[in-house]
């Protein structure tokens, strides 16, 4: 089977992510043969290897990568990346940040560097699905901000300093407080609540926001 024919058939899958197992089944060949073909095609830069058994096309939206990289554990884009997505910060992050119930890990691909950060399963919520087939999972404005506060006490101290944030008009403080209440760890919940309260106090009078009861 010629590589150009394999590539053409893979495009027919109409999926930005190619799993080696799926490619093998679609092409009617064994997994080892499919892996060899995919590896050869990747040398032409027509597809890109992102992790064991997973490949993407070069024009794939980098923001959909986290959920595939952490599979079988779910993840969603959050932290500075989500803040920028929601126009809450002006500086473009050079890394795609995401949270997952899986372990903390950095994935370096030729498309983007993806930094995954672990959160407790009980705090895994507050995201929406966007794009075709809902492949892009991204935190709401409220959850993106809280995820930074939640992770600010980790050993890396990567999220200790909050960038200058402008709250969107649809940001709901009451929704944010309800999210904080779901943190099961009393210590973590107290820290997040304090940081959020301090943040709101710091922007009073400078930004318009909806402060519902």
């Amino acid at each position: 089977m010629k590589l150009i024919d394999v590539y053409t058939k893979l495009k027919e899958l109409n999926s930005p992510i190619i799993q080696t197992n799926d490619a093998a089944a679609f092409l009617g060949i064994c997994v080892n043969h499919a892996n060899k073909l995919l590896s050869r095609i990747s040398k032409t830069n027509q597809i890109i290897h992102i992790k064991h058994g997973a490949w993407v096309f070069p024009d794939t939206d980098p923001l959909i990568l986290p959920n595939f990289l952490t599979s079988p554990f779910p993840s969603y884009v959050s932290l500075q990346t989500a803040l920028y997505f929601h126009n809450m910060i002006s500086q473009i992050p050079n890394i795609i940040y995401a949270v997952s119930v899986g372990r903390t890990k950095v994935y370096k691909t030729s498309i983007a560097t993806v930094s995954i950060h672990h959160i407790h399963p009980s705090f895994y919520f507050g995201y929406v699905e966007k794009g075709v087939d809902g492949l892009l999972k991204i935190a709401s404005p409220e959850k993106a901000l809280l995820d930074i506060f939640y992770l600010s006490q980790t050993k890396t101290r990567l999220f200790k300093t909050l960038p200058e944030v402008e709250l969107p008009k649809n940001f709901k403080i009451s929704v944010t407080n309800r999210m904080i209440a779901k943190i099961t760890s009393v210590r973590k919940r107290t820290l997040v609540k304090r940081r959020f309260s301090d943040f709101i106090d710091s922007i009073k009078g400078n930004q318009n926001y909806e402060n519902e009861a």
Side-chain angles (χ1 to χ4, degrees):
M1 186 178 294
K2 294 181 179 180
L3 291 185
I4 184 62
D5 295 331
V6 174
Y7 175 77
T8 300
K9 289 188 69 67
L10 291 175
K11 292 291 287 187
E12 293 175 4
L13 287 171
N14 197 31
S15 173
I17 303 290
I18 304 170
Q19 304 286 351
T20 304
N21 290 340
D22 293 338
F26 185 68
L27 297 171
I29 58 179
C30 70
V31 173
N32 285 340
H33 190 194
N35 187 61
K36 290 178 180 178
L37 291 174
L38 289 166
S39 296
R40 290 170 62 188
I41 295 174
S42 70
K43 293 179 181 179
T44 68
N45 297 318
Q46 291 176 299
I47 59 172
I48 297 170
H49 184 240
I50 57 171
K51 75 168 188 175
H52 179 71
W55 316 73
V56 297
F57 291 104
D59 58 351
T60 298
D61 182 354
L63 293 182
I64 74 169
L65 293 181
N67 201 45
F68 292 97
L69 290 171
T70 62
S71 179
F73 298 103
S75 62
Y76 60 85
V77 175
S78 188
L79 307 162
Q80 287 94 328
T81 304
L83 292 181
Y84 180 79
F85 182 90
H86 294 300
N87 298 313
M88 297 170 68
I89 59 175
S90 58
Q91 184 174 356
I92 303 175
N94 56 10
I95 294 175
I96 294 176
Y97 291 101
V99 299
S100 173
V101 297
R103 67 189 181 94
T104 296
K105 185 175 180 179
V106 175
Y107 296 86
K108 294 184 178 181
T109 76
S110 59
I111 294 182
T113 296
V114 180
S115 184
I116 306 294
H117 298 270
H118 172 78
I119 60 173
H120 193 274
S122 64
F123 202 53
Y124 186 86
F125 60 84
Y127 63 91
V128 295
E129 297 180 350
K130 294 181 175 290
V132 179
D133 297 327
L135 292 178
L136 170 56
K137 296 177 173 58
I138 190 161
S140 67
E142 294 85 358
K143 192 56 163 53
L145 184 62
L146 285 187
D147 282 341
I148 287 184
F149 294 154
Y150 183 93
L151 292 167
S152 64
Q153 300 299 315
T154 57
K155 292 181 180 179
T156 63
R157 315 294 278 182
L158 185 61
F159 306 106
K160 182 175 177 59
T161 302
L162 182 70
E164 185 175 345
V165 174
E166 182 174 350
L167 296 185
K169 292 183 179 179
N170 63 342
F171 189 96
K172 298 293 190 299
I173 292 179
S174 61
V175 169
T176 311
N177 284 326
R178 285 197 293 271
M179 288 180 173
I180 295 173
K182 294 183 179 181
I183 301 175
T184 55
S185 166
V186 175
R187 176 180 175 277
K188 182 79 74 172
R189 183 169 65 248
T190 300
L191 289 171
V192 173
K193 185 175 182 179
R194 181 183 303 146
R195 283 211 64 184
F196 180 62
S197 178
D198 290 346
F199 168 75
I200 292 299
D201 287 342
S202 71
I203 66 170
K204 282 183 177 178
N206 297 323
Q207 297 183 29
N208 293 322
Y209 61 89
E210 187 175 347
N211 187 3
E212 327 92 33

